[in-house]
């Protein structure tokens, strides 16, 4: 083994330990009694598995988990479907001003979320939906500039001759999209789905703005309530808060391991040259 490979593998091992340490610490602290939570010992001297029982008693975690699943799936499905439709339109159709319009779509990524926060809230409030879960996912029905850009690059890499042959056979534009483009770009669609699932699952800002009823809380919003109750301003029961953090984190790890083959294929595929 050459010195270069030794250095490379040593650096990779160090980076792995660096990135894994916070999660390992979280797992360890979540099964410690209150007095030992911050002792920075990774293997607990005393195991307190009852922390996970206590959090289910202290809060409606099951309801929050269901809410997070529903909201995250709705947000991921909505943004993946709508963004892929728009991206396919930009990739397939040729019309005057296409590039300028696409540039305008990308320009919206430069707009800070804080700028639109109040106008968007006023829109949902006027629709009578400001204190429901609808604003947490329904905005994704209008697509996302980031995912439109990502998916357009993949759609541009598909051979145009395939679409032309299908058109000659009488295929509609919807058939071109659903029967040809979508199956061929499945890794990119899974990347978009997983990215948005993660973003929606861990989002705290929107639930803080829109949700008032604890029965509608998602896991991050519920974890914030637990932190307020048992954390810095409460009873200092950090072991309960950390157990809730583990419950919030584990589902995302499961999703990644289930979808990792398609996910890694999507992010490692070389993007096509958008010159067609």
């Amino acid at each position: 083994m050459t010195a270069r490979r030794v250095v490379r593998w040593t650096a990779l091992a160090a980076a792995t330990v660096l990135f894994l340490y916070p999660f390992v610490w979280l797992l360890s602290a979540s099964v410690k009694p209150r007095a030992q939570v911050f002792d920075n010992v990774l293997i607990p001297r005393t195991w307190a598995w009852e922390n996970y029982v206590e959090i289910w008693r202290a809060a409606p975690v099951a309801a929050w988990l269901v809410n997070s699943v529903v909201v995250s799936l709705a947000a991921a499905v909505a943004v993946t479907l709508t963004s892929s439709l728009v991206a396919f339109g930009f990739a397939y159709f040729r019309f005057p001003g296409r590039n300028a319009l696409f540039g305008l779509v990308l320009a919206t990524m430069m707009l800070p979320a804080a700028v639109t926060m109040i106008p968007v809230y006023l829109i949902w409030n006027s629709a009578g939906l400001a204190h429901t879960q609808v604003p947490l996912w329904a905005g994704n029905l209008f697509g996302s500039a980031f995912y439109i850009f990502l998916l357009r690059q993949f759609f541009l890499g598909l051979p145009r001759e395939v679409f032309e042959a299908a058109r000659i056979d009488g295929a509609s534009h919807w058939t071109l999209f659903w029967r040809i483009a979508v199956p061929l770009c499945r890794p990119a669609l899974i990347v978009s789905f997983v990215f948005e699932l993660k973003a929606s699952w861990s989002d705290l800002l929107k639930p803080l703005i829109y949700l008032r009823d604890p029965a509608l809380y998602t896991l991050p919003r519920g974890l914030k309530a637990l932190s307020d109750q048992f954390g810095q301003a409460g009873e200092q029961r950090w072991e309960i808060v950390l157990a809730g953090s583990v419950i919030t984190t584990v589902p995302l790890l499961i999703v990644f391991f289930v979808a990792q083959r398609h996910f890694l294929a999507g992010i490692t595929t070389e993007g096509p040259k958008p010159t067609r």
Side-chain angles (χ1 to χ4, degrees), residues 27-236:
L27 289 175
S28 174
S30 69
V31 292
K32 291 179 180 179
R34 187 183 313 179
Q36 301 176 17
V37 168
F38 296 106
D39 61 7
N40 207 29
V41 176
L42 294 183
I43 301 178
R45 295 189 296 270
T46 304
W47 297 85
W49 296 103
E50 62 270 15
N51 293 341
Y52 286 91
V53 177
E54 182 62 27
I55 190 175
W56 289 92
R57 293 175 179 171
V61 177
W64 296 347
L65 182 62
V66 172
N67 292 338
S68 286
V69 170
V70 171
V71 169
S72 299
L73 287 177
V77 170
V79 82
T80 303
L81 179 60
T82 55
S83 297
S84 60
L85 282 167
V86 176
F88 179 75
F90 277 120
Y92 177 78
F93 295 105
R94 303 290 187 265
F95 54 89
R98 182 187 67 159
N99 292 334
L101 184 59
F102 182 66
L104 185 63
V105 171
L106 294 184
T108 62
M109 296 174 62
M110 303 296 106
L111 196 64
V115 174
T116 60
M117 187 182 302
I118 294 178
V120 170
Y121 177 85
L122 293 176
I123 292 173
W124 289 118
N125 189 51
S126 64
L129 299 171
H131 301 305
T132 69
Q133 294 177 347
V134 174
L136 306 186
W137 61 269
N140 286 355
L141 292 172
F142 301 96
S144 165
F146 173 76
Y147 299 124
I148 290 172
F149 170 76
L150 173 68
L151 295 171
R152 173 182 176 269
Q153 298 305 106
F154 277 82
F155 287 140
L156 284 174
L158 301 179
R160 193 168 182 84
E161 294 78 12
V162 175
F163 297 106
E164 293 175 350
R167 288 291 290 170
I168 293 174
D169 290 339
S172 64
H173 290 131
W174 173 256
T175 301
L176 297 182
F177 168 74
W178 190 251
R179 301 293 297 274
I180 299 177
V182 167
L184 292 177
C185 291
R186 183 178 302 171
L189 294 171
I190 292 177
V191 168
S192 300
F193 182 88
V194 173
F195 274 3
E196 186 59 29
L197 189 72
K198 182 268 177 188
S200 180
W201 183 273
S202 59
D203 183 30
L204 174 61
L205 181 60
K206 287 182 181 178
L208 277 175
I209 294 174
Y210 294 104
L211 300 184
R212 298 291 182 269
D213 184 358
L216 299 178
Y217 283 178
T218 58
L219 275 175
R221 181 64 183 91
L223 190 61
K224 175 64 168 61
L226 286 176
S227 178
D228 293 338
Q229 179 181 356
F230 297 127
Q232 60 265 32
E235 304 174 31
Q236 301 295 325

